[in-house]
Amino acid sequence: MITWEDFYTVMCAMIPLYFAMFLAYGSVKWWKIFTPEQCSGINRFVATFAVPVLSFHFISHNNPYQMDSRFILADTLSKLLVLMAISLWAALSAAFASPRRRGRRLDWVITLFSVGTLPNTLVMGIPLLRAMYGDFTQSLMVQLVVLQCIIWYTLLLFLFEYRAATLLIEDQFPGAAAAAITKFEIDGDIISLDGRDPIQAESEIDADGRLRVRIRRSTSSAPGSGMSSSLGITPRRLSNVSGAEIFSVNTPARQPQPALAEQLTVRDITFGYRSASPHPSGYASSDAYSLQPTPRASNFNELEICTPVWVRSPAVAGGVKPAWEGCGGRCGQVDKDVGGEKDLSFRSTSKFVVRKEDEIEMDGETEQEMPAALVMLRLILTVVGRKLSRNPNTYSSILGLLWSLISFKWDISMPSLLKESIKIISDAGLGMAMFSLGLFMALQPRIVACGPKMAAISMAIRFLSGPTVMSAASMAVGLRGVRLHTAIVQAALPQGIVPFVFAREYGLHPDILSTGVIFGMLVSLPVTLLYYILLGL
């Protein structure tokens, strides 16, 4: 039975976190203390230092030789069950769908997996579960954080990149043409296939008759070689809005552009997973995820958002030849080409625009083929590895795990000078993370970005389906008592930040993930308290 003292202990642990979040919200929304540029600086500190150091602190103090294998197995099994169920649904529904719509089932597999299985364990889970069930739960939550950072976020990133690769191939090598590709070569400055950077692909047939595709940054004009074909992603100006509106779902009417100091970048609230969107700092978007961005020169307005426009030329001998389309004078007119209205909605941030005549042609196309599995695997692993190598959370998790393996194996203590230096940053990590979330909330015109119906569905998946599957998986592996209660409550935590960052970067249902982050934070405390009370009866 839960006593009032237990309830008060939980509130003492959580109210300070929500106080930091609402203090940040009021500082921007009501009191106008922080400008968007100042918010950007705060959030960059959180993403680059506070949260990675916080992760390192928790992981390095956790004994990896005393891992709760049954608890980890329950969490892993629950995620695999969700992934298998969603994949089965996608496969069955794809059997009755058209060839082109069949590939879109992967979109919902990624989104539903993100919503249902990846909670905010580090920021919300550790303090909440420690207050509810005791200090031993911190070790359990840290174990889940390690798995999330090293395994599940990597898997999620792999799925996003696979989706981006299939979109590229479908648009440029439709039908059976893609099956002839034997190798992808990616230039070193290409970080992702998400289409947010202007890139081009050149294909050529080598002496052995094998088709090779090179992906590199686009130039101002297409290569003139008749042996190669190229695809161009042309910069498209969605709206003349400030960076502060970048998270908006509905862009208001065009207004005078604010000064550069009033702009906010998309990389806010990323906790180390910075989005690759353009930003007013003058750094290349290809350097997203890096700790040391590289300055670049720009020949177009920094507020223009580069989104891909895949253009295909008429078929030529030997297959389909992708055509290069430069920006020219069209950049300011593309607003009218897409739906006839200005919409900076989450849904359109990485939209692949296809001409009507191409869409009619695609509807009658045969089954889309893909390159060999090994060719696709090399391509995706290359870009995933590059992204992870530029993410500070990757280093903090791996270094924390390595240090814990060494220190608990040979009983080596960290030098006090280094220990206290890390502690002073990590102590601010939780509060700054919640403060950063409050800044993000204050800059949104709507808390429920995806609409009430989709918000209700996503909340049901997050707070009902997730704990239900976790309870089934936990009981299946023999988890009982307080550890079972801990597993269920942690599955009812609000939506994690990193899945939203990926969704925003790749343009895949970020309105749903944004609602999960913002609205989920507001409803998660009463929901988890309800689970806590019911499980204690």
Side-chain angles (χ1 to χ4, degrees), residues 269-293:
I269 317 296
T270 59
F271 292 177
Y273 290 84
R274 301 209 304 273
S275 172
S277 300
H279 43 80
S281 63
Y283 296 135
S285 57
S286 64
D287 294 310
Y289 293 74
S290 69
L291 294 175
Q292 301 293 335

Side-chain angles (χ1 to χ4, degrees), residues 305-323:
I305 303 173
C306 293
T307 50
V309 181
W310 305 99
V311 183
R312 197 170 77 251
S313 67
V316 295
V320 176
K321 178 181 179 181

Side-chain angles (χ1 to χ4, degrees), residues 169-245:
I169 292 170
E170 286 176 4
D171 280 283
Q172 295 303 310
F173 302 93
I181 299 176
T182 59
K183 185 177 182 181
F184 287 97
E185 297 178 353
I186 311 174
D187 282 9
D189 57 352
I190 299 297
I191 306 301
S192 172
L193 301 177
D194 58 10
R196 302 199 69 87
D197 289 326
I199 61 175
Q200 74 179 49
E202 297 176 348
S203 60
E204 64 178 3
I205 300 176
D206 60 16
D208 298 327
R210 295 176 298 184
L211 181 63
R212 298 183 175 219
V213 177
R214 178 192 176 194
I215 301 175
R216 65 183 182 87
R217 282 193 175 276
S218 64
T219 55
S220 58
S221 60
S225 173
M227 291 295 295
S228 67
S229 62
S230 63
L231 79 95
I233 304 178
T234 61
R236 176 163 68 91
R237 185 165 189 160
L238 290 177
S239 178
N240 189 17
V241 296
S242 71
E245 297 170 317

